[in-house]
Amino acid sequence: MNMNGPIQMSQKERLQTCHEIAKRLHEVYGNDVLAIGVYGSVSRGTDGPFSDIEMFCVLRDSAETVDKSYEWSAGPWKAEVNVCSASILLKDAATVEDRWPLTHGPYFSPLRLYDPEGFFQRLRLAAESPTKEDFRQAIHEILVAEMYEYVGKLRNVNRNGPSTYLPSLALRFAHYGAMLIGLHNQTLFSTGAMVLPEALKLPHRPKGFDHVAELAMSGDLAQPAKIVSACEDFWKGLVAWAAEHDYVIHSKRIPF
């Protein structure tokens, strides 16, 4: 067995492995299997020579609700298979959360290996069902739960140290800034590797985001003062952006 991590595989070989996994899923779950699909780079045909395999196995709703994730390495390749009841997957697809621009792509265009009853069309319709208010709520949550907290951490570190935490904070500012932009535009990012470059092409970006994103992409994170200045500028831009689009950061009352 290969013990040195992933080895180079062709797209044809990777798809063949997907079909072998699908065959095993049919053997294990039998008539309960409603649909099987591949998502991620393999489904888009953009997988590289060392890409992993990501799959859905959708089970018919029954008395027993199933929601499992199997992730393993066979040596030369790695796979992740999400086995879940149809109702769970449909509910997840219709839910907007903070990382929606990165997590929900699989619900829109899986590569169908088995789908005799058209389940993946239902899945796409569920993924298209969230309202504008659903996206607004996710944006509100990021602004308070992530960005407001990060700017507090930034100011603590700037005053008390350690400055070694600043690069990590800058990356978080950039990542969740991109999530805000994706949610605002209701736009999905293609892959984790492309979150920042694709966010920089979207409209309605908060002032200051571009600088933080460029620092993160370039790795220019060695100067504490530059990081603090960029993140503070971005926070200032976020406050103005939130006011412009009527997003809520501050509440005048305790919400319970």
Side-chain angles (χ1 to χ4, degrees):
M1 178 180 292
N2 172 64
M3 300 296 289
N4 195 34
I7 65 170
Q8 183 167 318
M9 294 177 63
S10 68
Q11 186 179 78
K12 182 179 179 180
E13 290 171 322
R14 195 169 289 105
L15 284 172
Q16 179 59 41
T17 300
C18 291
H19 283 285
E20 292 171 2
I21 294 171
K23 180 180 178 181
R24 177 59 180 161
L25 288 166
H26 279 291
E27 292 172 353
V28 172
Y29 293 101
N31 292 332
D32 288 336
V33 176
L34 177 61
I36 298 175
V38 182
Y39 64 94
S41 61
V42 179
S43 71
R44 296 188 300 272
T46 60
D47 47 316
F50 303 99
S51 294
D52 60 355
I53 290 168
E54 297 167 305
M55 296 176 63
F56 290 128
C57 177
V58 187
L59 303 183
R60 300 180 188 279
D61 288 315
S62 62
E64 180 184 2
T65 300
V66 180
D67 187 8
K68 299 179 180 178
S69 181
Y70 297 96
E71 197 163 2
W72 75 99
S73 163
W77 51 266
K78 171 186 170 293
E80 178 180 358
V81 179
N82 304 118
V83 181
C84 60
S85 300
S87 58
I88 291 177
L89 199 59
L90 290 169
K91 182 179 178 181
D92 287 347
T95 301
V96 180
E97 40 73 47
D98 59 355
R99 299 179 75 244
W100 178 93
L102 185 56
T103 61
H104 274 52
Y107 300 130
F108 286 87
S109 55
L111 174 63
R112 306 177 187 194
L113 299 186
Y114 178 77
D115 188 20
E117 298 178 31
F119 172 80
F120 286 123
Q121 178 59 27
R122 291 171 56 200
L123 185 66
R124 182 183 183 93
L125 290 174
E128 293 173 343
S129 69
T131 65
K132 187 175 181 63
E133 185 57 33
D134 294 325
F135 286 93
R136 290 182 63 81
Q137 185 58 41
I139 289 170
H140 293 160
E141 290 176 2
I142 292 179
L143 287 170
V144 176
E146 308 298 341
M147 307 308 292
Y148 191 96
E149 182 173 333
Y150 290 156
V151 79
K153 292 179 182 294
L154 180 82
R155 290 171 182 175
N156 280 336
V157 171
N158 190 38
R159 175 171 293 187
N160 301 320
S163 61
T164 51
Y165 186 41
L166 287 171
S168 177
L169 273 175
L171 295 176
R172 296 181 189 188
F173 268 89
H175 176 79
Y176 278 100
M179 294 302 113
L180 287 169
I181 294 166
L183 287 165
H184 178 78
N185 288 282
Q186 297 183 29
T187 299
L188 296 163
F189 299 124
S190 60
T191 67
M194 293 301 295
V195 164
L196 295 181
E198 290 177 358
L200 286 168
K201 295 180 180 179
L202 292 176
H204 311 299
R205 300 188 303 279
K207 187 177 180 180
F209 169 76
D210 291 19
H211 189 196
V212 172
E214 287 160 2
L215 290 178
M217 290 188 299
S218 68
D220 183 13
L221 300 170
Q223 300 177 46
K226 180 185 289 188
I227 294 174
V228 172
S229 176
C231 290
E232 284 284 6
D233 284 347
F234 180 30
W235 171 251
K236 182 179 178 181
L238 270 178
V239 172
W241 179 81
E244 177 186 356
H245 297 288
D246 198 28
Y247 296 131
V248 177
I249 299 179
H250 310 296
S251 175
K252 293 182 179 181
R253 62 180 180 85
I254 297 174
F256 53 83

